[in-house]
Amino acid sequence: MEMHTATHKSDTERHTRKKVAYVAVLVLVIILISVIVASLVHRKILADSSGGDAPWHRPRLPKSLAPYHYRLELKPNLEDSVFTGTVEISLHCLAPTRYIVLHANLLNITEGSVFLKSLRGEILTLRDWFLYPKNEFLVLESKTSLETGRRYVIGMKFQGKLLEDMRGFYRSFYSANSTHNDRRYLAVSQFAPMDARKAFPCFDEPAMKATFDVTLVHQSEYTALSNMPIRQSEVRSEGWVADHFYTTLRMPTYLLAFVIADFGYKEGVTGIHDIVASPQMRVPAMENWGLVVSHENRMLYAPKLSPVWKKEEVASMIAHELAHMWFGNLVTPEWWGGVWLKEGLATWAAVRGVDAAEPTWRVKERYFVQSLHQILPVDSSSLSHPLQLTVTGPQDVTRGSSLMRMLNTILGTAFRKGILKYLQKYKYSNAGQNDLWACLTEVVQEDGRTDVQVKEVMDTWTLQMGFPVVTVTRDYSNGRVTATQRHFLYDPEVNVPDSLRNYVWQVPLTFMSRESGNTSLGNGDTSRGNGTVSIPGIFWLRKREEDFRLSVDASSRLLANINQTGYYRVNYDVRNWQLLAEDLDTVTFQNIPTQSRAGLIDDAFNLVRSGHLAPEVALNLSRYLTREREYLPWLAAERAFGYLHMMLADTKSSSDLKWL
């Protein structure tokens, strides 16, 4: 009985102790939750209570700090679709500040891991840190102000998800066999334009260039790639390997790249550049410095299986991305509104590169005319926009490359020399279009030309929407030519935004006439075919209307905008249209260059569409096509007749449209 009582008392005491322990744990959990909630509330209050002048309330990063080096380690778990990482960022202080504002998006920052120290290692006290999701910012508040001229280091640990949205650091996959039951995963980065912040906290703006030491931790059966070669591989526990890469060149965050995959590889001829075919990508390809990533459909070519045109597509993609190593990577736009410049220059260079490698493809001739005929209709409506004042899309890239072609025609050999000066002056830095215009103008002046101020010319093409139609009217009694310009719109009555330049462009006019006999020209101009003469020089139309004196016989046709290198359309008086049609309707029609013949067809039918030209003039011009054997004029005609067919469908006139 006494033993039973003692046992019962012992059980009661144990039960009481357990209750006390449970209560203590519960109290600790409540206190911990309260602290976390209080901290979050405090950070929320701090983030929102500083008024509109707080640096994190502005969409752009403040200029008080500039990163110059990152030490970054990432460890993705492909099966669980998550990753962890650590980052240390070395900073220059450019102006006194207590706030360190950088980007972080969809990342969890590890509590207790955030630190701030001087370059010498002295720990500085952080008052607090918080995320500001509205602007995708991470803000660190120092207890004391950072001093101008000094260097600091911030660091932290973080976690993120490998989403399958093809943005930031994401998970991709492929099937190892045709039954699709063996899915293999890989981790790929796509940081342009503003998604490096989804992979690690960083200063995610193109002007915030820095160098990077990257470490990628992965399972041993995978291969890791980044912008630079592997410096050292370190075996870690449980089958993990850490690959440490050499320090990168100075570059923006959007060019940093990672791929972790079990792919095989083939040695090529691109030197230190790796090119990876990814199963899923949001863009066709990305020009990461040293690690180009392309959608597999844009890169893979099988000689016995792929169509003939696929080889050219692959070559063009590779040439374009490699051209970006100079245009975009070596010299980077200051902000995204200037992306058209790097894209336009890279496209211009890539086309010339492919043409040099495979001249039988005639890529340079075909691309620029095809792209011009695609973009001019897009740019002929009220939905157009100034090229420099917006983040560009694919259509603006085409427009930019067309303007580079026009500028190359204007400047000749000075264009290449100016490009080299621009690359040398701004290498590993940032530049805008005015910097390029200044370099080109310097070279032009060194060559003794006084007719071109590149900025004055190009501002009329990049800072206002659209393009002009130039109407060339001849006085057949004295050889005088009057050129007028007007904003070309399919609907001339539509309302368009005001322009500070009043929709007046500085238009470079080139002319070609037909004379009897052969003519030899200087200054690089050549005659093409019997009796076809390029009139030397560029005639500048800088006002709405200007007169020129040309020595052209009254019975000879006059062709403007040779090879359609200018970004504008040309209209003529009725008699000159007739002379052009008559010249085309002869056995010597090939005296007019192929690109110009395509341009005449394209201009004529688009002028009809806008109401600038009578339909019978364009149709009369097209009669010569029964003898045309070149691709480009027929491509222009196909588009023109296709539009007519669409407009006449289901009308009584549809039966009158007969295909040749």
Side-chain angles (χ1 to χ4, degrees), residues 352-455:
R352 297 171 71 88
V354 175
D355 188 68
E358 290 287 352
T360 58
W361 291 351
R362 298 169 66 180
V363 172
K364 186 168 65 173
E365 178 182 309
R366 289 190 296 103
Y367 172 81
F368 285 121
V369 173
Q370 288 177 246
S371 61
L372 188 69
H373 291 182
Q374 288 173 345
I375 191 59
L376 287 178
V378 177
D379 220 10
S380 301
S381 75
S382 60
L383 299 179
S384 176
H385 56 261
L387 188 59
Q388 172 62 10
L389 303 181
T390 182
V391 177
T392 61
Q395 295 167 340
D396 290 331
V397 173
T398 303
R399 185 177 168 191
S401 65
S402 297
L403 290 179
M404 289 300 110
R405 175 178 177 243
M406 180 176 72
L407 189 55
N408 189 184
T409 302
I410 295 170
L411 302 183
T413 57
F415 184 75
R416 181 175 178 273
K417 291 191 290 185
I419 292 294
L420 292 176
K421 179 185 281 286
Y422 166 77
L423 292 175
Q424 183 64 32
K425 184 174 182 179
Y426 295 102
K427 61 183 179 181
Y428 306 115
S429 187
N430 299 79
Q433 66 175 33
N434 288 340
D435 300 310
L436 176 59
W437 306 154
C439 289
L440 291 169
T441 299
E442 287 177 23
V443 171
V444 168
Q445 292 174 345
E446 289 169 3
D447 288 350
R449 286 184 61 178
T450 60
D451 64 317
V452 183
Q453 293 291 329
V454 178
K455 175 176 168 54

Side-chain angles (χ1 to χ4, degrees), residues 477-495:
S477 65
N478 58 20
R480 184 182 297 277
V481 170
T482 300
T484 61
Q485 60 170 297
R486 177 181 177 182
H487 187 189
F488 182 83
L489 293 164
Y490 285 135
D491 181 3
E493 304 302 321
V494 71
N495 291 324

Side-chain angles (χ1 to χ4, degrees), residues 254-530:
Y254 82 86
L255 291 175
L256 194 62
F258 323 120
V259 174
I260 297 175
D262 61 353
F263 289 171
Y265 67 92
K266 182 177 181 180
E267 294 290 346
V269 294
T270 59
I272 64 170
H273 288 92
D274 291 316
I275 304 179
V276 177
S278 175
Q280 292 92 30
M281 279 193 74
R282 187 170 54 88
V283 295
M286 182 59 206
E287 69 270 16
N288 311 302
W289 213 339
L291 180 58
V292 172
V293 182
S294 168
H295 194 288
E296 61 184 14
N297 291 339
R298 297 297 296 269
M299 196 181 92
L300 301 180
Y301 169 76
K304 295 182 179 180
L305 299 175
S306 302
V308 175
W309 56 264
K310 188 68 176 180
K311 187 175 184 180
E312 181 185 320
E313 182 184 74
V314 173
S316 297
M317 182 278 294
I318 293 174
H320 181 90
E321 304 310 324
L322 293 182
H324 271 308
M325 301 303 133
W326 291 268
F327 305 114
N329 298 10
L330 183 65
V331 180
T332 307
E334 296 167 329
W335 187 245
W336 298 111
V339 170
W340 79 268
L341 192 61
K342 77 177 182 72
E343 293 293 343
L345 284 168
T347 302
W348 169 86
V351 170
R352 297 171 71 88
V354 175
D355 188 68
E358 290 287 352
T360 58
W361 291 351
R362 298 169 66 180
V363 172
K364 186 168 65 173
E365 178 182 309
R366 289 190 296 103
Y367 172 81
F368 285 121
V369 173
Q370 288 177 246
S371 61
L372 188 69
H373 291 182
Q374 288 173 345
I375 191 59
L376 287 178
V378 177
D379 220 10
S380 301
S381 75
S382 60
L383 299 179
S384 176
H385 56 261
L387 188 59
Q388 172 62 10
L389 303 181
T390 182
V391 177
T392 61
Q395 295 167 340
D396 290 331
V397 173
T398 303
R399 185 177 168 191
S401 65
S402 297
L403 290 179
M404 289 300 110
R405 175 178 177 243
M406 180 176 72
L407 189 55
N408 189 184
T409 302
I410 295 170
L411 302 183
T413 57
F415 184 75
R416 181 175 178 273
K417 291 191 290 185
I419 292 294
L420 292 176
K421 179 185 281 286
Y422 166 77
L423 292 175
Q424 183 64 32
K425 184 174 182 179
Y426 295 102
K427 61 183 179 181
Y428 306 115
S429 187
N430 299 79
Q433 66 175 33
N434 288 340
D435 300 310
L436 176 59
W437 306 154
C439 289
L440 291 169
T441 299
E442 287 177 23
V443 171
V444 168
Q445 292 174 345
E446 289 169 3
D447 288 350
R449 286 184 61 178
T450 60
D451 64 317
V452 183
Q453 293 291 329
V454 178
K455 175 176 168 54
E456 293 179 9
V457 173
M458 296 307 295
D459 278 356
T460 66
W461 298 94
T462 63
L463 299 183
Q464 58 184 351
M465 62 182 280
F467 62 90
V469 53
V470 176
T471 300
V472 175
T473 305
R474 298 172 58 185
D475 186 332
Y476 294 88
S477 65
N478 58 20
R480 184 182 297 277
V481 170
T482 300
T484 61
Q485 60 170 297
R486 177 181 177 182
H487 187 189
F488 182 83
L489 293 164
Y490 285 135
D491 181 3
E493 304 302 321
V494 71
N495 291 324
V496 294
D498 292 336
S499 167
L500 294 177
R501 289 158 182 81
N502 296 316
Y503 294 106
V504 174
W505 289 262
Q506 292 203 20
V507 184
L509 297 174
T510 54
F511 293 105
M512 174 182 286
S513 66
R514 179 175 177 81
E515 303 286 359
S516 59
N518 292 313
T519 303
S520 177
L521 302 173
N523 302 320
D525 293 300
T526 59
S527 61
R528 180 184 178 93
N530 183 28

Side-chain angles (χ1 to χ4, degrees), residues 190-212:
Q190 172 57 43
F191 291 160
M194 295 179 288
D195 284 318
R197 64 192 69 175
K198 289 181 66 178
F200 61 102
C202 58
F203 294 78
D204 199 14
E205 291 187 358
M208 297 286 191
K209 286 191 168 185
T211 55
F212 297 81

